[in-house]
Amino acid sequence: MSSGSNLRSEDQFLCSICLDVFTDPVSTPCGHNFCKACITHYWEENERCQCPVCKKVFKMRPEVEVNTFIREMVAQFRHEAQQEASSRSSAAKPGEVPCDVCTGTKLKALKSCLVCLLSYCQTHLEPHLTTPGLKKHQLMEPVKNLEDRMCLQHDKPLELFCRTDQTCVCLVCPVLDHKNHKFVPLREESEGKKAELKKTEAEVQKMIQSRRVKIQEIKESVKISKDAADREKAEGVQVFTALKEAAERGLEELIKEIQDKQKTAEKQAEDFIKDLEQEISELMKRSSEVKQLSQSEDHLHLLQSFSSLKAAPPTKNWTEIRVHPPSYEGTVVRAAAQLLEKIKKKMKQLMEADLKRVQQYAVDVTLDPDTAHPDLILSDDRKQVKDGDVRKKLPDNPERFSYCANVLGHQSFSSGRFYFEVQVKGKTKWTLGVVRESINRKGKIGLSPQKGFWTVVLRNGNEYEACAGPSVRLHLQPGPEKVGVFVDYEEGLVSFYDVDAAALIYSFTGCSFTEKIYPYFGPCTNDGGKNSAPLIICPVSQDDFNSDESESKPESEPGSDEAP
């Protein structure tokens, strides 16, 4: 509780026993001061009656009286401390308007005067509330920079709003600078602007709400994406675990087969060795008998035993007997071929499942006659197209292909996923895919993603290519009779499928779609009847999925235009 403007400090009024500001201060004969209750209790607790500070001993307990001078000093000190605390509590905080008159701590202003151009705290505002001359001054809620509320030309308060010039003016401005202008009091214009602000606030709140809804949509999309990713990861783990287990089982079977062959060879060798060792033992025994008999001096015994010893013991002919190492040729190849067959079978299952998934996004595609090259013939239902070898007289509108025999789908797409199928059976040449809206339709066409084309082509009856710029040769044996085309706009993916084989032909990935894209059909020239079969847009089988689950909707519905 120290004060920067007062020489007295809190330490001067502290009792050395309780270490707090004096309560009923008394003085001992030695001149030291204590709270009356503190010194009395101290003497009662100690056997010797002495001063707690200087330790002077008193023969008898002194009679102490309250020191009125010190008590008054303490009371004044408490009052000043309370005032200072009160002053600090009402001091202007950052962001609040301070009093312009306060010289020490700037207190919080309660009002601002538009005449004096000053802001006042409670104390300094008093003259404006009591003095007759000052009571006429215009007071308002405290604001900073009061000079900004004064007319720079006439040094008067800004009290009117000029609707003609849309600016605030003083009472002199209409007479001198804004003649014949329309004026209203600031309050009236302010109320009108408040109404506009409320309307703006409502619009802003509506925008905020719509964005919160969008946030929820995005979060839900992320959740759906995460769930799909989790399912895909789980399926991937399941598939690759099965393949890994199949590979491990195949390896175990291969190793067992090799080990079994080796064990059989070792067993045969052990049997041969056992027989040979047995015969060796018998022959050694006979050799010993022969040697012993040859050294005998008993002529009669030698002659009697000679016949039986001379006859050779029955033995095998070991000349042609051999242990042939087992043949391992083709063992590893056969095992790998079996594993590859299992992998192919699993891949076919995966491809079938993948094709079924993309078929869920099937859309009804029809051909747009306004884009068809004059040589092309479209069926009445706009589902088939072929080259007619005869150029029809058609208006050369900007949408029509005039050089290459191509036609676009009537439907365009700028978001989501979509899928369609086209029969190419019997054709020796064709081009299929999707294109962006702004492609060149009047001259030679370079099929590449850089020019807005994502296509697969057949040329010369059996040459398949993905026009990826440069082209990628595709080895398709046999070639597809029905091609499926799938597009994921946001993912930037275009995939082509052999529908009957449920096999992926090719995928363009990382595509950048920034405008509408259209299905693209090129039946190519008739080639003297060799390529007379039409491209046919086929209905997608409904057996394995519900078409209502399709994410992408065409931006123009079929049947809106009449065929030429």
Side-chain angles (χ1 to χ4, degrees):
M1 288 189 291
S2 62
S3 171
S5 59
N6 199 318
L7 295 178
R8 292 187 294 271
S9 67
E10 185 178 4
D11 295 340
Q12 295 175 296
F13 303 103
L14 293 182
C15 171
S16 59
I17 297 177
C18 67
L19 302 179
D20 203 351
V21 178
F22 290 127
T23 302
D24 294 334
V26 297
S27 300
T28 59
C30 57
H32 295 108
N33 303 307
F34 307 94
C35 299
K36 185 175 182 181
C38 292
I39 192 61
T40 302
H41 179 72
Y42 178 82
W43 282 338
E44 289 175 351
E45 291 294 321
N46 292 277
E47 294 181 357
R48 302 178 66 183
C49 182
Q50 62 181 11
C51 174
V53 177
C54 66
K55 305 302 181 182
K56 181 176 181 179
V57 179
F58 305 109
K59 294 181 179 179
M60 294 182 62
R61 181 185 297 182
E63 291 291 336
V64 292
E65 297 292 339
V66 174
N67 190 323
T68 56
F69 175 73
I70 296 179
R71 183 172 64 182
E72 291 175 358
M73 293 288 291
V74 169
Q76 184 178 354
F77 172 76
R78 288 183 184 274
H79 178 69
E80 291 174 353
Q82 290 174 355
Q83 282 186 328
E84 183 177 353
S86 176
S87 173
R88 286 180 179 177
S89 64
S90 61
K93 299 180 179 65
E96 293 180 340
V97 179
C99 176
D100 292 320
V101 182
C102 290
T103 55
T105 301
K106 294 285 187 178
L107 301 186
K108 176 183 176 182
L110 296 182
K111 294 289 182 179
S112 293
C113 178
L114 291 176
V115 179
C116 303
L117 296 182
L118 295 173
S119 297
Y120 300 103
C121 65
Q122 179 67 51
T123 302
H124 296 120
L125 180 63
E126 191 66 24
H128 278 74
L129 302 177
T130 57
T131 305
L134 296 178
K135 287 173 71 175
K136 297 179 181 180
H137 288 191
Q138 184 178 350
L139 299 177
M140 62 177 298
E141 293 302 311
V143 293
K144 295 180 179 179
N145 302 325
L146 281 168
E147 59 274 9
D148 293 342
R149 295 177 173 269
M150 301 298 290
C151 177
L152 298 178
Q153 289 182 318
H154 309 116
D155 199 26
K156 299 291 183 181
L158 299 172
E159 300 183 50
L160 299 176
F161 184 79
C162 177
R163 286 185 171 175
T164 306
D165 292 339
Q166 291 292 301
T167 185
C168 297
V169 298
C170 69
L171 294 175
V172 180
C173 287
V175 179
L176 300 178
D177 303 316
H178 294 260
K179 292 180 180 180
N180 301 321
H181 289 188
K182 186 177 181 180
F183 300 93
V184 293
L186 291 182
R187 178 183 294 275
E188 181 179 338
E189 185 65 21
S190 177
E191 293 299 328
K193 290 295 189 284
K194 284 182 180 179
E196 291 183 20
L197 290 174
K198 285 182 180 179
K199 184 179 179 181
T200 302
E201 182 184 7
E203 293 174 353
V204 170
Q205 289 298 326
K206 186 176 179 181
M207 293 171 66
I208 291 172
Q209 184 61 28
S210 67
R211 280 152 179 76
R212 285 175 175 167
V213 170
K214 181 58 66 176
I215 288 174
Q216 287 303 118
E217 289 179 4
I218 294 172
K219 287 182 178 179
E220 186 63 26
S221 298
V222 171
K223 182 180 182 302
I224 292 172
S225 175
K226 184 180 182 302
D227 292 342
D230 290 341
R231 287 194 300 271
E232 200 70 14
K233 285 192 290 186
E235 183 179 353
V237 169
Q238 182 182 3
V239 169
F240 280 87
T241 300
L243 292 176
K244 178 183 175 183
E245 291 174 351
E248 290 174 347
R249 284 196 302 271
L251 179 60
E252 290 175 0
E253 292 171 359
L254 172 64
I255 292 174
K256 185 176 184 304
E257 181 183 352
I258 295 172
Q259 289 177 339
D260 288 347
K261 285 184 178 181
Q262 178 62 20
K263 286 181 180 178
T264 299
E266 290 177 355
K267 179 66 168 57
Q268 186 183 38
E270 289 175 359
D271 292 342
F272 286 158
I273 291 171
K274 184 177 180 182
D275 292 345
L276 287 168
E277 287 178 344
Q278 184 175 355
E279 289 192 7
I280 289 172
S281 177
E282 292 175 356
L283 290 171
M284 289 179 67
K285 180 180 178 183
R286 182 175 178 79
S287 174
S288 176
E289 291 175 350
V290 169
K291 183 177 180 179
Q292 185 178 0
L293 185 63
S294 65
Q295 295 176 351
S296 174
E297 297 296 331
D298 187 345
H299 305 295
L300 178 62
H301 174 68
L302 186 150
L303 293 174
Q304 291 175 337
S305 303
F306 179 78
S307 298
S308 59
L309 287 175
K310 185 178 179 182
T315 61
K316 293 181 181 179
N317 183 6
W318 293 94
T319 305
E320 302 298 329
I321 294 177
R322 283 175 177 68
V323 176
H324 298 283
S327 174
Y328 299 111
E329 283 76 7
T331 304
V332 175
V333 173
R334 286 193 302 274
Q338 291 174 357
L339 177 60
L340 182 60
E341 193 62 32
K342 291 179 181 178
I343 293 175
K344 286 182 178 179
K345 184 177 180 181
K346 190 64 179 178
M347 281 296 298
K348 184 172 178 58
Q349 293 174 351
L350 291 173
M351 288 303 304
E352 289 174 350
D354 183 47
L355 181 58
K356 288 179 181 179
R357 277 197 295 268
V358 301
Q359 284 176 331
Q360 296 181 38
Y361 304 104
V363 294
D364 185 17
V365 174
T366 55
L367 303 171
D368 184 359
D370 290 339
T371 66
H373 186 274
D375 285 359
L376 298 182
I377 299 175
L378 275 60
S379 62
D380 291 339
D381 63 358
R382 301 183 190 170
K383 292 288 186 178
Q384 301 184 27
V385 60
K386 64 180 181 179
D387 182 71
D389 274 343
V390 177
R391 177 160 298 206
K392 299 184 293 293
K393 291 184 179 181
L394 298 173
D396 188 18
N397 52 288
E399 296 83 11
R400 191 179 305 282
F401 290 94
S402 61
Y403 187 85
C404 298
N406 301 314
V407 61
L408 298 184
H410 183 70
Q411 295 73 19
S412 65
F413 304 85
S414 58
S415 65
R417 305 178 178 98
F418 66 93
Y419 173 85
F420 60 94
E421 293 179 352
V422 182
Q423 180 178 305
V424 297
K425 183 179 179 181
K427 295 191 68 59
T428 59
K429 299 178 183 179
W430 51 258
T431 303
L432 285 176
V434 294
V435 299
R436 66 184 178 216
E437 186 176 29
S438 61
I439 58 168
N440 174 32
R441 308 185 191 197
K442 298 304 178 183
K444 289 185 178 180
I445 294 174
L447 299 176
S448 69
Q450 292 78 15
K451 295 184 178 180
F453 295 81
W454 294 268
T455 57
V456 168
V457 303
L458 167 64
R459 299 291 183 264
N460 302 321
N462 60 1
E463 296 176 5
Y464 295 90
E465 291 183 352
C467 302
S471 295
V472 177
R473 186 71 180 268
L474 304 174
H475 302 282
L476 305 178
Q477 294 296 334
E481 294 186 352
K482 186 186 293 185
V483 176
V485 182
F486 171 71
V487 176
D488 187 328
Y489 194 97
E490 282 75 21
E491 189 69 20
L493 172 69
V494 181
S495 294
F496 296 83
Y497 294 86
D498 181 339
V499 177
D500 296 323
L504 178 66
I505 296 174
Y506 187 80
S507 285
F508 292 90
T509 59
C511 309
S512 178
F513 300 131
T514 57
E515 55 185 270
K516 292 179 182 179
I517 55 176
Y518 290 81
Y520 177 78
F521 307 88
C524 297
T525 58
N526 193 299
D527 197 15
K530 295 179 182 179
N531 191 39
S532 61
L535 291 176
I536 304 174
I537 302 172
C538 305
V540 179
S541 173
Q542 303 289 311
D543 296 338
D544 300 317
F545 66 92
N546 184 350
S547 62
D548 291 340
E549 294 179 2
S550 178
E551 240 183 51
S552 179
K553 299 297 182 185
E555 297 186 358
S556 55
E557 295 301 324
S560 60
D561 296 326
E562 294 296 327

